[in-house]
Amino acid sequence: MPNEQTNAPEDTAARVALWRALHVQIDSPPHVFTDEVGLRLLAPAAGWQDRPDMDPRTIAPMRAGIVSRARFIEDLVAERAARGVDQYVLLGAGLDTFAQRRSALAAGLTVFEVDQPGPQAWKRQRLTELGYGIPEWLRLVPVDFEVDSWWDRLTAAGFDPGRPAVVASTGVTMYLTREANIATLHQISSLAPGSSFATTFMLPIDLVGPAEQELRRFAENGARAAGTPFLSFFRPEEMVALAKEAGFAAARHISPDELTARYFAGRADGLRPAESEQILLATT
């Protein structure tokens, strides 16, 4: 999770933005997801593609997972918006650029980006410097997750829990305790009927293949060294059960195989999302 004392993006958020750009720059079309706005925000020094965590071969499954989860969620937002849902909440928004890339769709919604104050202040400044600005329908909601109630801050920013919404949270659950994840499920299950919650979660390492276990250990060691260790892992059936126990009317697991069938079928380059990260889709 981002450090609220630092007016800069968290390393993990920056890495996600760079992987999204890398997909456009080095993977063959058709691209699953097109986003180079995050790269513009970061403006990294020349040679950023040569970093070990940008190696096109070793991180390809993780890069594919990042772009496919983003595509899945934005497809969900577009589908729900067509049904009249007009609120979209990103918990732990990081360097998400939906509001800048898909402004025609976003302008028909109220988009709430919830994130730590420091990194969000940095993002606000960069959006202004690059000429994107902060339109009225985009609400940047700073929350110090250690002391603030994100729910209270969200409603204070104009979110209406009595109207349907799409809530998305990606790359967050593993940094939270099991109890915090369950509390989040309970909070979001109280939203108005017709609301959707899409969140990623990490499988226990023994459920992924040997090659990916090596990548996972590298990622977990890096997170621990950065002071943000992985805390929570869930089996798919467990996550679905927790969502239903929390009060959601329906919940289902979206696997990497399903994402592959949707977004990667027929690719000659063999690009496929990693096994480790899965998606829960729950509705009220």
Side-chain angles (χ1 to χ4, degrees):
M1 298 293 286
N3 179 350
E4 68 272 16
Q5 302 302 323
T6 304
N7 286 339
E10 167 64 23
D11 286 347
T12 53
R15 186 177 302 115
V16 165
L18 294 178
W19 280 349
R20 284 160 67 145
L22 204 60
H23 175 58
V24 178
Q25 296 184 2
I26 71 170
D27 291 326
S28 302
H31 295 123
V32 174
F33 191 79
T34 302
D35 178 15
E36 293 182 283
V37 176
L39 176 61
R40 289 193 68 202
L41 292 173
L42 287 167
W48 65 269
Q49 290 192 11
D50 299 326
R51 290 169 27 175
D53 59 352
M54 296 294 128
D55 187 305
R57 297 158 299 174
T58 58
I59 56 89
M62 299 166 76
R63 183 173 71 249
I66 292 297
V67 297
S68 57
R69 79 187 191 189
R71 172 69 179 275
F72 176 83
I73 288 172
E74 291 194 8
D75 284 353
L76 175 69
V77 172
E79 176 197 344
R80 296 299 193 262
R83 299 183 190 180
V85 175
D86 64 356
Q87 300 185 107
Y88 176 31
V89 180
L90 296 95
L91 292 178
L95 293 174
D96 189 90
T97 59
F98 169 78
Q100 292 75 48
R101 290 176 294 98
R102 305 195 63 179
S103 57
L105 173 59
L109 311 169
T110 305
V111 180
F112 300 88
E113 293 194 8
V114 180
D115 211 345
Q116 296 273 16
Q120 192 171 82
W122 180 93
K123 184 178 183 181
R124 180 186 290 275
Q125 180 178 337
R126 288 296 290 148
L127 288 172
T128 301
E129 290 171 351
L130 293 176
Y132 291 106
I134 313 294
E136 188 280 332
W137 46 261
L138 176 59
R139 312 286 173 83
L140 301 183
V141 185
V143 176
D144 182 339
F145 292 98
E146 297 296 326
V147 298
D148 297 331
S149 163
W150 65 265
W151 182 261
D152 290 347
R153 289 295 180 95
L154 181 62
T155 54
F159 178 76
D160 182 357
R163 298 203 332 271
V166 175
V167 181
S169 177
T170 58
V172 172
T173 57
M174 64 277 207
Y175 297 112
L176 304 178
T177 64
R178 179 182 179 88
E179 293 73 22
N181 279 303
I182 291 173
T184 298
L185 288 171
H186 278 271
Q187 185 70 77
I188 297 173
S189 71
S190 69
L191 290 176
S195 297
S196 305
F197 178 45
T199 187
T200 58
F201 63 94
M202 196 73 74
L203 290 181
I205 196 168
D206 62 330
L207 293 187
V208 302
E212 191 167 325
Q213 285 188 12
E214 187 174 341
L215 280 176
R216 273 283 297 277
R217 291 190 184 95
F218 175 79
E220 291 189 38
N221 289 340
R224 190 178 303 109
T228 54
F230 290 5
L231 300 177
S232 295
F233 310 94
F234 299 93
R235 295 173 181 268
E237 63 275 16
E238 177 187 17
M239 200 64 174
V240 169
L242 288 172
K244 291 179 177 178
E245 290 168 10
F248 284 98
R252 71 185 187 96
H253 159 231
I254 311 295
S255 69
D257 285 345
E258 183 171 341
L259 295 176
T260 296
R262 287 191 185 205
Y263 304 126
F264 298 90
R267 292 188 67 94
D269 59 9
L271 190 65
R272 298 289 186 273
E275 296 175 80
S276 284
E277 190 174 71
Q278 313 271 319
I279 298 174
L280 170 75
L281 177 60
T283 53
T284 56

